Amino acid sequence: MSKLPRHTMSLKRFMLRTEAIKLYRNILRQLQHLPDKNQRAEIREWARQDFETHRHHEDEETIKRLIMQGKQQLEELERTIKRANG
Amino acid sequence: MKNKLRNRNSLAHDSLTTAPAAAAAAAVGTSRKMATLARTLHLVSRIRPSTVLSILPRAAAVGCLHTTSLQEHRGVSRVVQPAIDKTSWCSSSVRDYSSKPPLTLDLIQQRVLLVLKLYDKINPEKLSVESHFMQDLGLDSLDHVEVIMAMEDEFGFEIPDADAEKLLRPADIIRYVADKEDIYD
């Protein structure tokens, strides 16, 4: 019935995907406030690893939960960086 | 340091070195300045006691601001020196405070391609101005985010999310940067 290409995801999935990408971008932006470049690269690698391990999930609830966890970790990162920069 | 000592010589109080140091630190707010202030205060308090206590914090703040502004001026001219040397040999009497090199479409293209070549997930042989990040170069959306952040770093301005998701080829990025910097070659 649908004339869309076969691998088009539903709107909800697309919005979740956009959320995840936004989360990754916000993490990278937050890391710009870290003065130490090695630390920056380390945390970026670690975040990327996390995203990669959860790349395969298909279930909406799982994805939403992981994105929420990611956002909490981002807030934690923000607070730590603020404290470190004083 | 000499400025601060001159200011402090006439204003010292022997028993209250900590209070004015704290007040001055609160006024200035940098730990390095606090250390030098504490040092000068300890030094001066041994020289001569005085009753002019209230001026001390204000003078300390003024002294610190004076040196910071001096340092800032010195810092700016240090940054500007290379720009003057490289761009024109005859303008040594003219101060040019802009620190960006003049952009042309060609320069933007070179810089974009250089950043992409240095990115380890891109194969430099497959890279061209029209190659699509995801379809030709095999990047995924997270790599794309990293590429856009590298471009923000290179050109010094932030690219909002809505614009970033449309920049899928080096040519798009080059056109976007040229638009933002108002370059019409």
Side-chain angles (χ1 to χ4, degrees):
Chain A
M1 169 174 149
S2 161
K3 292 204 178 72
L4 294 171
R6 209 175 304 156
H7 296 296
T8 311
M9 47 177 89
S10 73
L11 182 61
K12 238 182 192 165
R13 278 299 299 277
F14 182 74
M15 297 304 296
L16 284 176
R17 180 177 180 272
T18 314
E19 280 256 17
I21 297 175
K22 268 204 178 107
L23 177 61
Y24 188 64
R25 187 178 288 123
N26 286 334
I27 293 174
L28 291 192
R29 279 209 209 285
Q30 199 50 234
L31 285 180
Q32 299 283 45
H33 295 293
L34 260 186
D36 181 0
K37 293 227 165 163
N38 292 330
Q39 260 186 344
R40 221 186 281 176
E42 232 183 271
I43 302 184
R44 191 178 55 221
E45 280 306 314
W46 173 78
R48 185 60 192 260
Q49 279 298 328
D50 264 1
F51 274 80
E52 291 292 338
T53 39
H54 297 296
R55 188 191 273 260
H56 62 280
H57 288 296
E58 299 290 339
D59 172 36
E60 245 177 59
E61 288 303 312
T62 319
I63 298 178
K64 265 193 236 175
R65 183 171 43 88
L66 289 169
I67 292 181
M68 286 249 56
Q69 279 178 10
K71 285 193 177 147
Q72 285 168 354
Q73 289 179 328
L74 173 60
E75 283 170 25
E76 191 57 54
L77 179 65
E78 230 171 303
R79 258 174 275 146
T80 314
I81 291 181
K82 262 198 198 137
R83 242 178 285 137
N85 286 349
Chain B
M1 266 302 266
K2 277 192 196 154
N3 297 337
K4 280 190 229 151
L5 274 179
R6 241 180 278 130
N7 282 340
R8 300 287 123 26
N9 262 338
S10 56
L11 326 145
H13 198 285
D14 47 355
S15 61
L16 285 166
T17 50
T18 51
V28 173
T30 59
S31 54
R32 200 186 60 187
K33 300 270 168 40
M34 215 173 102
T36 51
L37 265 179
R39 253 182 280 131
T40 52
L41 286 173
H42 280 295
L43 183 67
V44 170
S45 65
R46 275 186 233 120
I47 296 176
R48 198 192 327 163
S50 142
T51 52
V52 189
L53 178 61
S54 58
I55 304 182
L56 184 57
R58 238 183 295 141
V62 167
C64 278
L65 286 174
H66 181 55
T67 48
T68 30
S69 62
L70 271 185
Q71 282 171 6
E72 278 169 11
H73 282 301
R74 260 183 267 127
V76 165
S77 57
R78 242 184 275 129
V79 166
V80 166
Q81 278 310 99
I84 294 180
D85 291 335
K86 279 189 201 150
T87 54
S88 105
W89 52 272
C90 59
S91 68
S92 51
S93 57
V94 175
R95 283 286 184 87
D96 185 7
Y97 283 100
S98 157
S99 59
K100 292 199 275 192
L103 285 179
T104 65
L105 263 186
D106 199 46
L107 186 59
I108 299 178
Q109 176 169 324
Q110 283 175 31
R111 285 167 76 177
V112 167
L113 289 179
L114 183 62
V115 170
L116 291 175
K117 283 197 189 116
L118 293 173
Y119 188 51
D120 56 356
K121 294 189 187 153
I122 293 184
N123 184 354
E125 287 158 28
K126 292 201 187 144
L127 178 65
S128 86
V129 182
E130 287 298 331
S131 44
H132 193 278
F133 287 133
M134 315 218 182
Q135 288 160 10
D136 301 332
L137 299 171
L139 300 180
D140 67 2
S141 45
L142 297 182
D143 295 328
H144 181 238
V145 173
E146 291 179 18
V147 164
I148 298 292
M149 299 276 331
M151 294 298 159
E152 289 183 356
D153 238 356
E154 171 70 22
F155 292 102
F157 64 88
E158 233 185 58
I159 303 179
D161 292 2
D163 294 343
E165 62 188 19
K166 300 195 192 101
L167 304 176
L168 299 169
R169 304 182 142 87
D172 299 336
I173 299 179
I174 295 168
R175 213 173 308 132
Y176 183 79
V177 172
D179 281 346
K180 286 287 161 174
E181 302 280 347
D182 286 332
I183 295 163
Y184 309 104
D185 265 350

mmCIF file of all heavy atoms in Angstrom, chain A residues 42-79:
data_model
loop_
_atom_site.group_PDB
_atom_site.id
_atom_site.type_symbol
_atom_site.label_atom_id
_atom_site.label_comp_id
_atom_site.label_asym_id
_atom_site.label_seq_id
_atom_site.Cartn_x
_atom_site.Cartn_y
_atom_site.Cartn_z
ATOM 1 N N GLU A 42 39.616 11.507 24.938
ATOM 2 C CA GLU A 42 39.239 10.308 25.697
ATOM 3 C C GLU A 42 37.732 10.223 25.882
ATOM 4 O O GLU A 42 37.109 9.185 25.634
ATOM 5 C CB GLU A 42 39.907 10.380 27.073
ATOM 6 C CG GLU A 42 40.706 9.149 27.455
ATOM 7 C CD GLU A 42 41.260 9.281 28.857
ATOM 8 O OE1 GLU A 42 42.365 9.816 28.994
ATOM 9 O OE2 GLU A 42 40.555 8.877 29.795
ATOM 10 N N ILE A 43 37.146 11.331 26.365
ATOM 11 C CA ILE A 43 35.712 11.299 26.644
ATOM 12 C C ILE A 43 34.928 11.153 25.350
ATOM 13 O O ILE A 43 33.884 10.490 25.301
ATOM 14 C CB ILE A 43 35.278 12.554 27.419
ATOM 15 C CG1 ILE A 43 36.070 12.650 28.712
ATOM 16 C CG2 ILE A 43 33.797 12.517 27.721
ATOM 17 C CD1 ILE A 43 35.652 13.796 29.586
ATOM 18 N N ARG A 44 35.450 11.762 24.256
ATOM 19 C CA ARG A 44 34.753 11.633 22.990
ATOM 20 C C ARG A 44 34.743 10.182 22.536
ATOM 21 O O ARG A 44 33.728 9.659 22.074
ATOM 22 C CB ARG A 44 35.428 12.525 21.943
ATOM 23 C CG ARG A 44 34.614 12.659 20.683
ATOM 24 C CD ARG A 44 35.282 13.571 19.696
ATOM 25 N NE ARG A 44 36.631 13.142 19.411
ATOM 26 C CZ ARG A 44 37.655 13.963 19.292
ATOM 27 N NH1 ARG A 44 37.473 15.252 19.431
ATOM 28 N NH2 ARG A 44 38.850 13.519 19.040
ATOM 29 N N GLU A 45 35.910 9.498 22.681
ATOM 30 C CA GLU A 45 35.982 8.088 22.316
ATOM 31 C C GLU A 45 35.001 7.269 23.125
ATOM 32 O O GLU A 45 34.286 6.409 22.605
ATOM 33 C CB GLU A 45 37.400 7.552 22.587
ATOM 34 C CG GLU A 45 38.406 7.896 21.533
ATOM 35 C CD GLU A 45 37.934 7.463 20.162
ATOM 36 O OE1 GLU A 45 37.440 6.320 20.018
ATOM 37 O OE2 GLU A 45 38.015 8.288 19.231
ATOM 38 N N TRP A 46 34.981 7.555 24.435
ATOM 39 C CA TRP A 46 34.113 6.804 25.342
ATOM 40 C C TRP A 46 32.642 6.987 24.972
ATOM 41 O O TRP A 46 31.872 6.030 24.910
ATOM 42 C CB TRP A 46 34.416 7.278 26.765
ATOM 43 C CG TRP A 46 33.536 6.751 27.829
ATOM 44 C CD1 TRP A 46 33.577 5.523 28.408
ATOM 45 C CD2 TRP A 46 32.469 7.445 28.464
ATOM 46 N NE1 TRP A 46 32.619 5.416 29.362
ATOM 47 C CE2 TRP A 46 31.920 6.583 29.422
ATOM 48 C CE3 TRP A 46 31.925 8.726 28.316
ATOM 49 C CZ2 TRP A 46 30.859 6.953 30.225
ATOM 50 C CZ3 TRP A 46 30.869 9.094 29.122
ATOM 51 C CH2 TRP A 46 30.346 8.193 30.064
ATOM 52 N N ALA A 47 32.269 8.237 24.678
ATOM 53 C CA ALA A 47 30.878 8.495 24.296
ATOM 54 C C ALA A 47 30.546 7.766 23.001
ATOM 55 O O ALA A 47 29.481 7.154 22.857
ATOM 56 C CB ALA A 47 30.645 9.995 24.138
ATOM 57 N N ARG A 48 31.494 7.824 22.043
ATOM 58 C CA ARG A 48 31.246 7.166 20.756
ATOM 59 C C ARG A 48 31.067 5.665 20.939
ATOM 60 O O ARG A 48 30.200 5.047 20.325
ATOM 61 C CB ARG A 48 32.423 7.459 19.831
ATOM 62 C CG ARG A 48 32.269 6.957 18.429
ATOM 63 C CD ARG A 48 31.065 7.563 17.779
ATOM 64 N NE ARG A 48 30.735 6.889 16.551
ATOM 65 C CZ ARG A 48 31.046 7.345 15.356
ATOM 66 N NH1 ARG A 48 31.724 8.452 15.246
ATOM 67 N NH2 ARG A 48 30.696 6.680 14.293
ATOM 68 N N GLN A 49 31.896 5.063 21.817
ATOM 69 C CA GLN A 49 31.769 3.638 22.112
ATOM 70 C C GLN A 49 30.375 3.320 22.627
ATOM 71 O O GLN A 49 29.732 2.363 22.191
ATOM 72 C CB GLN A 49 32.783 3.216 23.188
ATOM 73 C CG GLN A 49 34.169 2.965 22.676
ATOM 74 C CD GLN A 49 34.196 1.838 21.671
ATOM 75 O OE1 GLN A 49 33.404 0.902 21.767
ATOM 76 N NE2 GLN A 49 35.074 1.941 20.716
ATOM 77 N N ASP A 50 29.911 4.148 23.586
ATOM 78 C CA ASP A 50 28.573 3.951 24.144
ATOM 79 C C ASP A 50 27.511 3.961 23.054
ATOM 80 O O ASP A 50 26.640 3.086 23.006
ATOM 81 C CB ASP A 50 28.265 5.069 25.151
ATOM 82 C CG ASP A 50 28.564 4.631 26.573
ATOM 83 O OD1 ASP A 50 29.022 3.490 26.741
ATOM 84 O OD2 ASP A 50 28.316 5.424 27.489
ATOM 85 N N PHE A 51 27.599 4.958 22.177
ATOM 86 C CA PHE A 51 26.611 5.040 21.105
ATOM 87 C C PHE A 51 26.684 3.815 20.207
ATOM 88 O O PHE A 51 25.677 3.279 19.762
ATOM 89 C CB PHE A 51 26.835 6.313 20.276
ATOM 90 C CG PHE A 51 26.148 7.539 20.824
ATOM 91 C CD1 PHE A 51 26.686 8.248 21.873
ATOM 92 C CD2 PHE A 51 24.949 7.960 20.290
ATOM 93 C CE1 PHE A 51 26.058 9.373 22.377
ATOM 94 C CE2 PHE A 51 24.315 9.087 20.790
ATOM 95 C CZ PHE A 51 24.870 9.792 21.846
ATOM 96 N N GLU A 52 27.912 3.367 19.921
ATOM 97 C CA GLU A 52 28.059 2.227 19.026
ATOM 98 C C GLU A 52 27.473 0.959 19.623
ATOM 99 O O GLU A 52 26.830 0.166 18.937
ATOM 100 C CB GLU A 52 29.547 1.994 18.698
ATOM 101 C CG GLU A 52 30.173 3.058 17.838
ATOM 102 C CD GLU A 52 29.627 3.065 16.426
ATOM 103 O OE1 GLU A 52 29.094 2.034 15.965
ATOM 104 O OE2 GLU A 52 29.721 4.119 15.771
ATOM 105 N N THR A 53 27.707 0.732 20.941
ATOM 106 C CA THR A 53 27.195 -0.506 21.520
ATOM 107 C C THR A 53 25.677 -0.551 21.476
ATOM 108 O O THR A 53 25.088 -1.625 21.411
ATOM 109 C CB THR A 53 27.623 -0.679 22.987
ATOM 110 O OG1 THR A 53 27.555 0.586 23.636
ATOM 111 C CG2 THR A 53 29.005 -1.249 23.107
ATOM 112 N N HIS A 54 25.023 0.607 21.528
ATOM 113 C CA HIS A 54 23.562 0.605 21.525
ATOM 114 C C HIS A 54 22.963 0.928 20.182
ATOM 115 O O HIS A 54 21.784 1.255 20.080
ATOM 116 C CB HIS A 54 23.056 1.603 22.574
ATOM 117 C CG HIS A 54 23.456 1.219 23.962
ATOM 118 N ND1 HIS A 54 23.003 0.071 24.567
ATOM 119 C CD2 HIS A 54 24.281 1.809 24.845
ATOM 120 C CE1 HIS A 54 23.535 -0.009 25.770
ATOM 121 N NE2 HIS A 54 24.313 1.027 25.962
ATOM 122 N N ARG A 55 23.775 0.842 19.150
ATOM 123 C CA ARG A 55 23.300 1.212 17.818
ATOM 124 C C ARG A 55 22.187 0.288 17.334
ATOM 125 O O ARG A 55 21.286 0.701 16.620
ATOM 126 C CB ARG A 55 24.476 1.125 16.860
ATOM 127 C CG ARG A 55 24.234 1.648 15.490
ATOM 128 C CD ARG A 55 25.368 1.264 14.603
ATOM 129 N NE ARG A 55 26.439 2.239 14.662
ATOM 130 C CZ ARG A 55 26.618 3.184 13.741
ATOM 131 N NH1 ARG A 55 25.790 3.273 12.736
ATOM 132 N NH2 ARG A 55 27.605 4.028 13.842
ATOM 133 N N HIS A 56 22.225 -0.987 17.751
ATOM 134 C CA HIS A 56 21.390 -2.000 17.117
ATOM 135 C C HIS A 56 19.962 -2.037 17.636
ATOM 136 O O HIS A 56 19.140 -2.757 17.111
ATOM 137 C CB HIS A 56 22.013 -3.382 17.342
ATOM 138 C CG HIS A 56 22.089 -3.713 18.793
ATOM 139 N ND1 HIS A 56 23.057 -3.235 19.619
ATOM 140 C CD2 HIS A 56 21.265 -4.449 19.580
ATOM 141 C CE1 HIS A 56 22.866 -3.670 20.856
ATOM 142 N NE2 HIS A 56 21.780 -4.416 20.853
ATOM 143 N N HIS A 57 19.655 -1.287 18.698
ATOM 144 C CA HIS A 57 18.332 -1.439 19.315
ATOM 145 C C HIS A 57 17.211 -1.045 18.379
ATOM 146 O O HIS A 57 17.289 -0.025 17.699
ATOM 147 C CB HIS A 57 18.240 -0.579 20.584
ATOM 148 C CG HIS A 57 19.046 -1.127 21.720
ATOM 149 N ND1 HIS A 57 18.757 -2.334 22.300
ATOM 150 C CD2 HIS A 57 20.125 -0.645 22.352
ATOM 151 C CE1 HIS A 57 19.642 -2.562 23.261
ATOM 152 N NE2 HIS A 57 20.478 -1.559 23.306
ATOM 153 N N GLU A 58 16.151 -1.850 18.354
ATOM 154 C CA GLU A 58 15.001 -1.566 17.510
ATOM 155 C C GLU A 58 13.805 -1.115 18.327
ATOM 156 O O GLU A 58 12.883 -0.521 17.806
ATOM 157 C CB GLU A 58 14.597 -2.830 16.738
ATOM 158 C CG GLU A 58 15.667 -3.354 15.814
ATOM 159 C CD GLU A 58 15.873 -2.435 14.619
ATOM 160 O OE1 GLU A 58 14.936 -1.650 14.315
ATOM 161 O OE2 GLU A 58 16.939 -2.470 14.019
ATOM 162 N N ASP A 59 13.813 -1.462 19.632
ATOM 163 C CA ASP A 59 12.641 -1.215 20.465
ATOM 164 C C ASP A 59 12.605 0.250 20.905
ATOM 165 O O ASP A 59 13.546 0.761 21.484
ATOM 166 C CB ASP A 59 12.714 -2.159 21.674
ATOM 167 C CG ASP A 59 11.653 -1.843 22.670
ATOM 168 O OD1 ASP A 59 10.540 -1.478 22.225
ATOM 169 O OD2 ASP A 59 11.918 -1.933 23.867
ATOM 170 N N GLU A 60 11.442 0.900 20.668
ATOM 171 C CA GLU A 60 11.315 2.327 20.972
ATOM 172 C C GLU A 60 11.584 2.645 22.434
ATOM 173 O O GLU A 60 12.259 3.628 22.746
ATOM 174 C CB GLU A 60 9.891 2.763 20.653
ATOM 175 C CG GLU A 60 9.812 3.745 19.525
ATOM 176 C CD GLU A 60 8.368 4.060 19.236
ATOM 177 O OE1 GLU A 60 7.699 4.547 20.161
ATOM 178 O OE2 GLU A 60 7.937 3.788 18.109
ATOM 179 N N GLU A 61 11.023 1.824 23.332
ATOM 180 C CA GLU A 61 11.152 2.129 24.757
ATOM 181 C C GLU A 61 12.611 2.116 25.185
ATOM 182 O O GLU A 61 13.085 2.978 25.928
ATOM 183 C CB GLU A 61 10.341 1.133 25.603
ATOM 184 C CG GLU A 61 8.844 1.341 25.492
ATOM 185 C CD GLU A 61 8.439 2.749 25.873
ATOM 186 O OE1 GLU A 61 8.888 3.253 26.921
ATOM 187 O OE2 GLU A 61 7.694 3.391 25.089
ATOM 188 N N THR A 62 13.334 1.069 24.691
ATOM 189 C CA THR A 62 14.755 0.981 25.029
ATOM 190 C C THR A 62 15.490 2.222 24.551
ATOM 191 O O THR A 62 16.301 2.808 25.277
ATOM 192 C CB THR A 62 15.381 -0.257 24.382
ATOM 193 O OG1 THR A 62 14.475 -1.351 24.496
ATOM 194 C CG2 THR A 62 16.694 -0.598 25.022
ATOM 195 N N ILE A 63 15.185 2.617 23.310
ATOM 196 C CA ILE A 63 15.882 3.765 22.744
ATOM 197 C C ILE A 63 15.594 5.008 23.572
ATOM 198 O O ILE A 63 16.506 5.790 23.910
ATOM 199 C CB ILE A 63 15.469 3.976 21.269
ATOM 200 C CG1 ILE A 63 15.851 2.766 20.437
ATOM 201 C CG2 ILE A 63 16.119 5.221 20.709
ATOM 202 C CD1 ILE A 63 15.434 2.869 18.994
ATOM 203 N N LYS A 64 14.313 5.194 23.925
ATOM 204 C CA LYS A 64 13.966 6.389 24.725
ATOM 205 C C LYS A 64 14.701 6.376 26.048
ATOM 206 O O LYS A 64 15.232 7.402 26.491
ATOM 207 C CB LYS A 64 12.452 6.402 24.998
ATOM 208 C CG LYS A 64 11.680 7.233 24.009
ATOM 209 C CD LYS A 64 10.273 7.476 24.481
ATOM 210 C CE LYS A 64 9.326 6.976 23.402
ATOM 211 N NZ LYS A 64 7.930 7.048 23.787
ATOM 212 N N ARG A 65 14.732 5.189 26.677
ATOM 213 C CA ARG A 65 15.391 5.106 27.991
ATOM 214 C C ARG A 65 16.873 5.440 27.867
ATOM 215 O O ARG A 65 17.433 6.194 28.657
ATOM 216 C CB ARG A 65 15.201 3.690 28.554
ATOM 217 C CG ARG A 65 15.774 3.518 29.941
ATOM 218 C CD ARG A 65 15.384 2.187 30.545
ATOM 219 N NE ARG A 65 15.470 1.065 29.621
ATOM 220 C CZ ARG A 65 16.562 0.334 29.424
ATOM 221 N NH1 ARG A 65 17.662 0.605 30.096
ATOM 222 N NH2 ARG A 65 16.547 -0.662 28.545
ATOM 223 N N LEU A 66 17.527 4.895 26.815
ATOM 224 C CA LEU A 66 18.953 5.159 26.654
ATOM 225 C C LEU A 66 19.222 6.633 26.389
ATOM 226 O O LEU A 66 20.198 7.196 26.881
ATOM 227 C CB LEU A 66 19.501 4.306 25.504
ATOM 228 C CG LEU A 66 19.573 2.816 25.824
ATOM 229 C CD1 LEU A 66 19.852 2.019 24.566
ATOM 230 C CD2 LEU A 66 20.661 2.572 26.850
ATOM 231 N N ILE A 67 18.325 7.269 25.607
ATOM 232 C CA ILE A 67 18.533 8.693 25.333
ATOM 233 C C ILE A 67 18.409 9.493 26.631
ATOM 234 O O ILE A 67 19.184 10.427 26.890
ATOM 235 C CB ILE A 67 17.544 9.192 24.263
ATOM 236 C CG1 ILE A 67 17.872 8.558 22.917
ATOM 237 C CG2 ILE A 67 17.585 10.700 24.145
ATOM 238 C CD1 ILE A 67 16.984 9.001 21.795
ATOM 239 N N MET A 68 17.420 9.119 27.485
ATOM 240 C CA MET A 68 17.282 9.811 28.771
ATOM 241 C C MET A 68 18.537 9.651 29.613
ATOM 242 O O MET A 68 19.040 10.607 30.197
ATOM 243 C CB MET A 68 16.090 9.216 29.541
ATOM 244 C CG MET A 68 14.766 9.613 29.005
ATOM 245 S SD MET A 68 13.872 10.705 30.130
ATOM 246 C CE MET A 68 15.010 12.017 30.354
ATOM 247 N N GLN A 69 19.056 8.400 29.646
ATOM 248 C CA GLN A 69 20.282 8.180 30.404
ATOM 249 C C GLN A 69 21.401 9.047 29.867
ATOM 250 O O GLN A 69 22.168 9.649 30.623
ATOM 251 C CB GLN A 69 20.701 6.711 30.309
ATOM 252 C CG GLN A 69 19.971 5.808 31.249
ATOM 253 C CD GLN A 69 20.395 4.365 31.061
ATOM 254 O OE1 GLN A 69 21.368 4.087 30.354
ATOM 255 N NE2 GLN A 69 19.665 3.463 31.669
ATOM 256 N N GLY A 70 21.497 9.095 28.533
ATOM 257 C CA GLY A 70 22.539 9.909 27.910
ATOM 258 C C GLY A 70 22.418 11.361 28.314
ATOM 259 O O GLY A 70 23.409 12.031 28.606
ATOM 260 N N LYS A 71 21.155 11.866 28.338
ATOM 261 C CA LYS A 71 20.973 13.277 28.711
ATOM 262 C C LYS A 71 21.405 13.510 30.147
ATOM 263 O O LYS A 71 22.021 14.540 30.462
ATOM 264 C CB LYS A 71 19.511 13.678 28.551
ATOM 265 C CG LYS A 71 19.121 13.854 27.132
ATOM 266 C CD LYS A 71 17.773 14.539 26.992
ATOM 267 C CE LYS A 71 17.482 14.735 25.524
ATOM 268 N NZ LYS A 71 16.062 14.645 25.226
ATOM 269 N N GLN A 72 21.113 12.555 31.050
ATOM 270 C CA GLN A 72 21.542 12.726 32.433
ATOM 271 C C GLN A 72 23.057 12.742 32.528
ATOM 272 O O GLN A 72 23.649 13.548 33.257
ATOM 273 C CB GLN A 72 20.982 11.594 33.303
ATOM 274 C CG GLN A 72 19.505 11.772 33.587
ATOM 275 C CD GLN A 72 18.899 10.519 34.184
ATOM 276 O OE1 GLN A 72 19.549 9.487 34.276
ATOM 277 N NE2 GLN A 72 17.658 10.623 34.592
ATOM 278 N N GLN A 73 23.700 11.859 31.751
ATOM 279 C CA GLN A 73 25.156 11.838 31.780
ATOM 280 C C GLN A 73 25.718 13.135 31.238
ATOM 281 O O GLN A 73 26.756 13.632 31.717
ATOM 282 C CB GLN A 73 25.685 10.651 30.977
ATOM 283 C CG GLN A 73 25.412 9.335 31.668
ATOM 284 C CD GLN A 73 25.921 8.152 30.866
ATOM 285 O OE1 GLN A 73 25.935 8.178 29.648
ATOM 286 N NE2 GLN A 73 26.328 7.120 31.568
ATOM 287 N N LEU A 74 25.033 13.704 30.251
ATOM 288 C CA LEU A 74 25.496 14.986 29.714
ATOM 289 C C LEU A 74 25.412 16.070 30.768
ATOM 290 O O LEU A 74 26.331 16.897 30.915
ATOM 291 C CB LEU A 74 24.651 15.377 28.497
ATOM 292 C CG LEU A 74 24.895 16.766 27.937
ATOM 293 C CD1 LEU A 74 26.328 16.903 27.490
ATOM 294 C CD2 LEU A 74 23.957 17.042 26.773
ATOM 295 N N GLU A 75 24.310 16.069 31.552
ATOM 296 C CA GLU A 75 24.202 17.085 32.606
ATOM 297 C C GLU A 75 25.313 16.922 33.637
ATOM 298 O O GLU A 75 25.889 17.898 34.122
ATOM 299 C CB GLU A 75 22.837 16.979 33.290
ATOM 300 C CG GLU A 75 21.722 17.580 32.475
ATOM 301 C CD GLU A 75 20.359 17.247 33.074
ATOM 302 O OE1 GLU A 75 20.290 16.998 34.292
ATOM 303 O OE2 GLU A 75 19.383 17.237 32.310
ATOM 304 N N GLU A 76 25.599 15.648 33.952
ATOM 305 C CA GLU A 76 26.679 15.366 34.895
ATOM 306 C C GLU A 76 28.003 15.921 34.366
ATOM 307 O O GLU A 76 28.776 16.559 35.090
ATOM 308 C CB GLU A 76 26.762 13.844 35.088
ATOM 309 C CG GLU A 76 27.631 13.382 36.216
ATOM 310 C CD GLU A 76 27.233 13.966 37.538
ATOM 311 O OE1 GLU A 76 26.060 13.828 37.921
ATOM 312 O OE2 GLU A 76 28.094 14.581 38.186
ATOM 313 N N LEU A 77 28.237 15.683 33.067
ATOM 314 C CA LEU A 77 29.455 16.174 32.429
ATOM 315 C C LEU A 77 29.536 17.687 32.505
ATOM 316 O O LEU A 77 30.583 18.270 32.831
ATOM 317 C CB LEU A 77 29.465 15.722 30.960
ATOM 318 C CG LEU A 77 30.650 16.153 30.101
ATOM 319 C CD1 LEU A 77 31.916 15.523 30.614
ATOM 320 C CD2 LEU A 77 30.419 15.766 28.660
ATOM 321 N N GLU A 78 28.368 18.345 32.227
ATOM 322 C CA GLU A 78 28.325 19.802 32.288
ATOM 323 C C GLU A 78 28.738 20.307 33.662
ATOM 324 O O GLU A 78 29.535 21.244 33.792
ATOM 325 C CB GLU A 78 26.886 20.246 32.015
ATOM 326 C CG GLU A 78 26.739 21.304 30.984
ATOM 327 C CD GLU A 78 25.280 21.518 30.621
ATOM 328 O OE1 GLU A 78 24.627 20.525 30.203
ATOM 329 O OE2 GLU A 78 24.796 22.630 30.779
ATOM 330 N N ARG A 79 28.157 19.664 34.695
ATOM 331 C CA ARG A 79 28.436 20.115 36.058
ATOM 332 C C ARG A 79 29.906 19.921 36.389
ATOM 333 O O ARG A 79 30.554 20.791 36.967
ATOM 334 C CB ARG A 79 27.579 19.337 37.064
ATOM 335 C CG ARG A 79 26.378 20.146 37.541
ATOM 336 C CD ARG A 79 25.457 19.335 38.410
ATOM 337 N NE ARG A 79 24.521 18.572 37.618
ATOM 338 C CZ ARG A 79 24.050 17.367 37.942
ATOM 339 N NH1 ARG A 79 24.456 16.792 39.052
ATOM 340 N NH2 ARG A 79 23.204 16.746 37.170
#
